[in-house]
Amino acid sequence: MSENGAILQIDVDGEIQKIVRQLNDLPTQLKAPAVLARAMNLTANEIKRKIGKQARKKYAITDDRILKDKSKGAMYLEKATGADPAAVLISKGGMMEVMAYTTRKNDSATAAMLKVLNESKLTALEVEGRKAFETTFRSGHTAIVQRRTEDRLPIKKLLAPAVPHLYGKSYEEAELDYYGILQKHIQQQVEKVLAQRA
């Protein structure tokens, strides 16, 4: 599923045998691996949507691109085929800038604030009296930063959880339903093949 490699396994041979038993003649039965691959891809896409929905519900995400853009860590699918029935959901990426989550600019009295979980409160970003603040760089990029020392420079951009981490927590909830979802898609794909032969 992610860089951590969470795996949901099925008995591929057993599933193909179940599909073959539902198909009524040899030419149709030869389509069993393709039927399973299509069902695996549909299942993976459905799980991907569920995981994304749960991540949005749980985390205070303000930059929706992190769940849509593969380069930012958004999940994508490596499709199953008849020859290789593994459908793989992948999410890769490092820590995100805090502004991808709910933040509040600093003011004269308070440091910039961050909320990562929807159920949490905004928390002031301050370490040893060094208050985080929002700044815009010469490039035009705006970020929340903090001084590394008491001196004016250097500063560091503050970071928050990476997208694969968000998916990992939501994945644990979504994986409970995967086998039922797979069986639903297998049945739909079998019915399509049978309808084409009728």
Side-chain angles (χ1 to χ4, degrees):
M1 188 282 308
S2 72
E3 289 180 311
N4 297 331
I7 297 173
L8 299 175
Q9 294 184 330
I10 64 163
D11 175 5
V12 172
D13 292 336
E15 294 300 327
I16 287 179
Q17 288 306 314
K18 286 189 221 173
I19 293 167
V20 166
R21 285 193 293 273
Q22 293 180 67
L23 301 174
N24 46 5
D25 58 23
L26 185 59
T28 309
Q29 290 171 342
L30 293 175
K31 295 180 180 180
V35 166
L36 180 59
R38 282 193 300 275
M40 292 292 289
N41 291 330
L42 290 166
T43 300
N45 275 318
E46 189 169 335
I47 293 290
K48 178 182 157 194
R49 285 190 301 275
K50 284 182 88 165
I51 292 170
K53 186 176 179 180
Q54 288 170 350
R56 284 180 184 88
K57 187 175 178 181
K58 186 171 188 172
Y59 293 93
I61 298 166
T62 56
D63 182 357
D64 207 36
R65 293 174 301 170
I66 68 172
L67 298 182
K68 293 180 179 177
D69 184 345
K70 178 178 161 181
S71 69
K72 294 185 181 294
M75 191 179 294
Y76 63 96
L77 171 64
E78 283 188 357
K79 291 185 174 183
T81 64
D84 180 6
V88 183
L89 292 173
I90 300 169
S91 175
K92 296 180 182 177
M95 300 285 282
M96 300 301 302
E97 290 189 33
V98 295
M99 291 186 79
Y101 299 92
T102 300
T103 57
R104 191 174 78 196
K105 287 174 73 168
N106 56 297
D107 58 32
S108 58
T110 310
M113 302 181 95
L114 169 67
K115 177 168 85 164
V116 174
L117 293 171
N118 278 323
E119 64 186 24
S120 300
K121 295 180 180 178
L122 280 164
T123 303
L125 300 170
E126 184 173 348
V127 175
E128 297 175 358
R130 297 188 311 274
K131 295 178 180 178
F133 58 96
E134 188 175 302
T135 191
T136 301
F137 296 97
R138 285 185 188 150
S139 65
H141 178 70
T142 300
I144 291 180
V145 299
Q146 191 170 46
R147 300 188 197 291
R148 291 181 183 268
T149 66
E150 295 299 319
D151 298 328
R152 183 169 166 79
L153 294 174
I155 59 173
K156 64 178 178 179
K157 284 193 283 189
L158 298 183
L159 302 175
V163 175
H165 175 77
L166 310 187
Y167 287 139
K169 297 293 184 186
S170 300
Y171 172 81
E172 293 166 7
E173 300 163 27
E175 74 176 322
L176 300 174
D177 302 331
Y178 93 95
Y179 192 72
I181 294 168
L182 174 62
Q183 293 307 309
K184 172 188 76 174
H185 287 298
I186 286 174
Q187 197 55 45
Q188 289 171 350
Q189 293 307 306
V190 166
E191 288 168 10
K192 279 186 181 179
V193 170
L194 291 174
Q196 290 167 358
R197 295 290 293 172

